[in-house]
C-alpha cells in the first residue's frame, strides 16, 4: 500500500502544495525517494492499513483519507506487486506537531508537488494521478477543509484553492460565490493583522456543498 498525502507548507513567499516522501533503506531502489507505504496485514482492512503504514513511515495522521486507485502494471516492481493507493490531506497547522513526536522517522522530506525528484517504482505516476484527482475534486466538494484549520478567513480559503489549482482566482468573484452559501458558517471571531479585521468562518458539517463549483480566475 502507498499513500499520497498533501499539505500546505510555507516558504518565504507563499504557501506551497507539498507531499512527504520517504527515502528507501533497502532494495529495490535503495536510497531513492518513494511514497510512504507498507504491506497489508492479514487481519486489517485497507483503510486501517493505510492509516497505520502512513503513521509508521512518517508519523503523520491525515485530516482526510480516501482510496485513490489500484496500480498493478506487470513491470511496476521486480516482483509482481499490486498496490492499493490512498490519498490524504493534512492541515498545515498539524504537520510540525505530529512530526515532533518522539521516534518520528528521520528519512522523511517534503517536496513541492510540481518539482518531485525521480521516485522509486511507478510512484511519480501515482503522485501525478493523485494531484490530478485533488485538483478536479477541489472545485465541487468540501475537500479544502482537509487543508485548513477549523476556522479560517475567506482570503485563506481562496489561497488554498489557488495553491491547489496552481492559478490565481478573482477575489471578488470568489467571495460572491461563497458569501451566503450554506456550506460556510460565519463565526463571531475575527483575524486581526495589518489590514482591517477579517471574519472567521467554519464549514457547516450538515451542508453538502463547499462553495464555488467552478472557481473563476
Amino acid at each position: 500500500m502507498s499513500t499520497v498525502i498533501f499539505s500546505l507548507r510555507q516558504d518565504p513567499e507563499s504557501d506551497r502544495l507539498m507531499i512527504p516522501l520517504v527515502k528507501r533503506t533497502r532494495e529495490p531502489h535503495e536510497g531513492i525517494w518513494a511514497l510512504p507505504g507498507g504491506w497489508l496485514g492479514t487481519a486489517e482492512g485497507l483503510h486501517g492499513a493505510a492509516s497505520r503504514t502512513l503513521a509508521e513511515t512518517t508519523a503523520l495522521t491525515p485530516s482526510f483519507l480516501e482510496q485513490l486507485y489500484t496500480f498493478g502494471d506487470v513491470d511496476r516492481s521486480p516482483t509482481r506487486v499490486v498496490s492499493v493507493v490512498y490519498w490524504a490531506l493534512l492541515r498545515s497547522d498539524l504537520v510540525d506537531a505530529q512530526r515532533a513526536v518522539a521516534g518520528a522517522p528521520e528519512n522523511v522530506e517534503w517536496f513541492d508537488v510540481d518539482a518531485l525528484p525521480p521516485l522509486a517504482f511507478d510512484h511519480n505516476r501515482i503522485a501525478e494521478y493523485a494531484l490530478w484527482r485533488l485538483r478536479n475534486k477541489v472545485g465541487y466538494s468540501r475537500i479544502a477543509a482537509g487543508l485548513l484549520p477549523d476556522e479560517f478567513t475567506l482570503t485563506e480559503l481562496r489561497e488554498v484553492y489557488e495553491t491547489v489549482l496552481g492559478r490565481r482566482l478573482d477575489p471578488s468573484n470568489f467571495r460572491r460565490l461563497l458569501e451566503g452559501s450554506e456550506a460556510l458558517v460565519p463565526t463571531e471571531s475575527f483575524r486581526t493583522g495589518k489590514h482591517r479585521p477579517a471574519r472567521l468562518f467554519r464549514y457547516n458539517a450538515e451542508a453538502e456543498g463547499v462553495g464555488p463549483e467552478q472557481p473563476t480566475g
Side-chain angles (χ1 to χ4, degrees), residues 191-197:
R191 178 93 70 228
T192 57
K194 296 180 180 179
H195 305 287
R196 66 180 183 179

Side-chain angles (χ1 to χ4, degrees), residues 47 64-68 85-88 133 137 143:
H47 195 92
F64 167 91
L65 182 66
E66 181 179 81
Q67 190 173 141
L68 175 68
V85 178
Y86 276 71
W87 67 298
R133 177 73 172 273
K137 193 165 185 176
I143 204 72

